[in-house]
Amino acid sequence: MKIRFDEAWSGALKIANDVAREFDTDVILMRDLLGRSSIVVNLLDSDPRILELRNRLQAACGPFTGQQPVLLVDTLFAPGQVLNSPDRHPVPRFMANSGRVSVVERGTVGADWLRPAEEPAGKRIALYGFKGGVGRSTATFILARHMARQGQSVLVVDLDLESPGVSSLLRSDLEYAEHGIVDYLVESAVENHADLDLVTKSDSIGDLHGNGEVWLASAGGRPRSGYSYLDKLNRAYFDLPATPDREAATFGRRLANAIAACEDQVAKLSRKPDVVLLDSRAGIHDVAAVAITQLSNLALLFATDNPQTWQGYQALFDQWRTKLDTPTTDRLRNRIKMVAAMIPSNNAEAYLHSFADNAQECFAMTLYDNEEGEVGLDSFNFAPNDKSAPHYPLTIPHSLDLVGLDPSRNTSWAGSDLIEAAYREFVEAVSVTLEEGA
């Protein structure tokens, strides 16, 4: 019988855990770009058990065995790059009960989902949807306007780099700043980012009757002859290696620097932003990973109630459950809140009941008590109807006013009574949540 990817990984984890116990040593399990596993262990190269360990791994992993199945710490070319890697994560005890196994993944995408940072200073909200078409960008616009009406200075950062949306809502004339987020990422890679023009005021937010304001940092710069957005986008997503003059910088750190530069520019032009809204792109993408795990105090996860959405969120949450330690997973869980978007007007109560049930089941299988009963300090199974729980949604009813919306032709769309009513509960709840977390 052939050994497939998932079976190979389960076998490698079991062997790594057994070795940690049998040899009384820490074990690192490395998985390369092709999914092939190798075990890094602190043994002498003369140890007779190495050959047996190599054979055990090959038998368990088949074609997913690393080219060098057993790597010895003393023989590694640069052991610090493995032992001290920021991508080295301890395996939770419910998966490896020795407590001495850690994992280093070498993947092309998704690493930033497993690089959580401490909460940033200030107030930052990420708006994310696993699937597109759930009204995330529209909600970002409405939320920015609501906060500005409260007298706040709001910076909106369009991080949907491959399909910008909120930028055109906030500047219906497309008169963005000269440069955008992709410009900063490209220019900063060669230390050429000083004096970039990155932010502009919204021209479509309406009369605020006070000192509230909304600023936009668009994905790309102002459309003009010779401006090649795609060429820059192709060079935006990567980690910077270390050089003699510069420390290494992950994509997440580079994106954080871009947002900090936008905040500083708003502060110079007006005043420091009171709140920053990050309109993230959909899907399992590194932009979304950084926005949720590194850049925000609160992550609003948009969803519609269907099996594909819940399967996607469960796969995402399961990465945290199985790759991060319990305190880190608890910290991430406490940052997020579900949003039930585009709620159908017919039978809305039944829809929300189903949404809450399915969301609670998704969280219970991943971010609440895990299946082996290992419970984090603040972790337990919330009831489906517990409104304080991360899974219980903020709500946005579906509005017919948004069907086929072209903001450049209908500049008064956001002021309609239907739009105001649809988003009232959502924006007020987000404001309260943000204040409670301050």
Side-chain angles (χ1 to χ4, degrees):
M1 188 173 108
K2 289 186 176 181
I3 300 172
R4 303 296 185 184
F5 184 94
D6 293 321
E7 290 81 12
W9 183 240
S10 296
L13 275 174
K14 182 180 184 307
I15 291 173
N17 190 55
D18 290 344
V19 167
R21 288 190 171 281
E22 294 168 13
F23 297 1
D24 189 27
T25 187
D26 293 337
V27 176
I28 301 174
L29 193 56
M30 292 183 59
R31 188 157 57 164
D32 68 14
L33 289 173
L34 300 181
R36 300 174 299 189
S37 296
S38 300
I39 285 180
V40 181
V41 66
N42 193 14
L43 297 176
L44 297 176
D45 58 6
S46 60
D47 196 312
R49 296 174 294 182
I50 294 175
L51 178 59
E52 178 195 2
L53 176 55
R54 182 183 298 115
N55 292 337
R56 286 167 63 184
L57 195 66
Q58 289 173 333
C61 299
F64 291 102
T65 305
Q67 290 181 308
Q68 298 183 63
V70 180
L71 298 168
L72 306 179
V73 172
D74 288 343
T75 62
L76 292 175
F77 175 72
Q81 292 186 9
V82 176
L83 300 178
N84 303 317
S85 170
D87 296 320
R88 178 182 175 184
H89 302 290
V91 177
R93 282 185 174 272
F94 71 87
M95 297 182 65
N97 59 16
S98 66
R100 303 190 68 174
V101 178
S102 56
V103 170
V104 176
E105 292 273 15
R106 301 299 190 193
T108 57
V109 296
D112 280 299
W113 288 107
L114 300 177
R115 294 172 177 172
E118 296 295 330
E119 291 187 11
K123 297 178 181 178
R124 291 182 179 173
I125 304 175
L127 295 93
Y128 166 80
F130 182 79
K131 293 175 68 65
V134 292
R136 183 197 70 244
S137 293
T138 303
T140 304
F141 175 95
I142 299 292
L143 184 58
R145 184 185 64 173
H146 171 78
M147 291 179 166
R149 285 176 171 175
Q150 310 305 311
Q152 299 188 71
S153 175
V154 183
L155 169 62
V156 177
V157 184
D158 192 344
L159 293 183
D160 196 348
L161 303 185
E162 295 183 24
S163 183
V166 75
S167 295
S168 61
L169 294 178
L170 288 167
R171 288 293 307 195
S172 58
D173 58 3
L174 304 187
E175 287 295 312
Y176 308 144
E178 185 177 359
H179 305 105
I181 297 298
V182 294
D183 294 278
Y184 185 95
L185 293 172
V186 170
E187 300 288 345
S188 63
V190 294
E191 302 291 338
N192 195 46
H193 55 289
D195 302 322
L196 290 175
D197 174 31
L198 294 169
V199 300
T200 187
K201 254 188 177 181
S202 171
D203 73 335
S204 55
I205 210 69
D207 192 356
L208 297 176
H209 302 293
N211 63 345
E213 56 188 16
V214 176
W215 293 84
L216 168 67
S218 56
R222 186 185 313 122
R224 58 191 184 274
S225 175
Y227 185 82
S228 182
Y229 184 77
L230 287 180
D231 288 344
K232 294 172 184 175
L233 185 62
N234 288 337
R235 291 162 174 80
Y237 303 121
F238 59 87
D239 296 346
L240 286 178
T243 69
D245 302 319
R246 180 184 64 202
E247 293 183 355
T250 64
F251 172 69
R253 171 46 50 195
R254 297 175 63 219
L255 195 57
N257 290 341
I259 293 170
C262 295
E263 292 173 325
D264 289 344
Q265 201 161 113
V266 171
K268 290 178 181 178
L269 294 171
S270 178
R271 66 184 195 271
K272 181 180 177 180
D274 298 301
V275 63
V276 179
L277 304 183
L278 308 173
D279 186 35
S280 173
R281 67 160 296 167
I284 300 178
H285 191 280
D286 285 349
V287 167
V290 172
I292 294 172
T293 66
Q294 300 176 34
L295 300 179
S296 59
N297 315 98
L298 172 65
L300 302 175
L301 309 187
F302 284 63
T304 52
D305 189 35
N306 60 64
Q308 295 81 10
T309 295
W310 299 124
Q311 288 171 7
Y313 275 118
Q314 183 174 329
L316 169 57
F317 296 160
D318 211 46
Q319 285 290 299
W320 295 340
R321 182 182 73 93
T322 59
K323 300 290 177 63
L324 301 176
D325 58 42
T326 298
T328 302
T329 302
D330 287 349
R331 178 159 47 87
L332 287 172
R333 184 197 68 238
N334 292 334
R335 289 185 192 178
I336 61 182
K337 184 70 172 176
M338 295 303 302
V339 178
M342 305 178 71
I343 300 170
S345 56
N346 58 321
N347 214 6
E349 185 176 348
Y351 179 91
L352 280 175
H353 181 77
S354 174
F355 187 107
D357 280 349
N358 288 325
Q360 196 275 341
E361 182 179 1
C362 176
F363 276 69
M365 295 176 66
T366 54
L367 299 185
Y368 294 161
D369 293 359
N370 70 52
E371 59 190 20
E372 298 297 329
E374 181 184 280
V375 183
L377 189 62
D378 301 316
S379 179
F380 59 94
N381 278 319
F382 293 87
N385 61 350
D386 186 341
K387 294 185 178 181
S388 67
H391 75 265
Y392 194 87
L394 307 179
T395 59
I396 303 176
H398 180 57
S399 175
L400 294 176
D401 281 17
L402 296 178
V403 177
L405 172 67
D406 182 350
S408 66
R409 295 183 179 181
N410 180 12
T411 56
S412 62
W413 67 273
S416 76
D417 291 341
L418 284 175
I419 295 295
E420 295 277 3
Y423 284 88
R424 183 175 297 114
E425 181 179 338
F426 167 74
V427 297
E428 290 177 354
V430 173
S431 296
V432 169
T433 301
L434 201 60
E435 289 302 321
E436 288 177 346

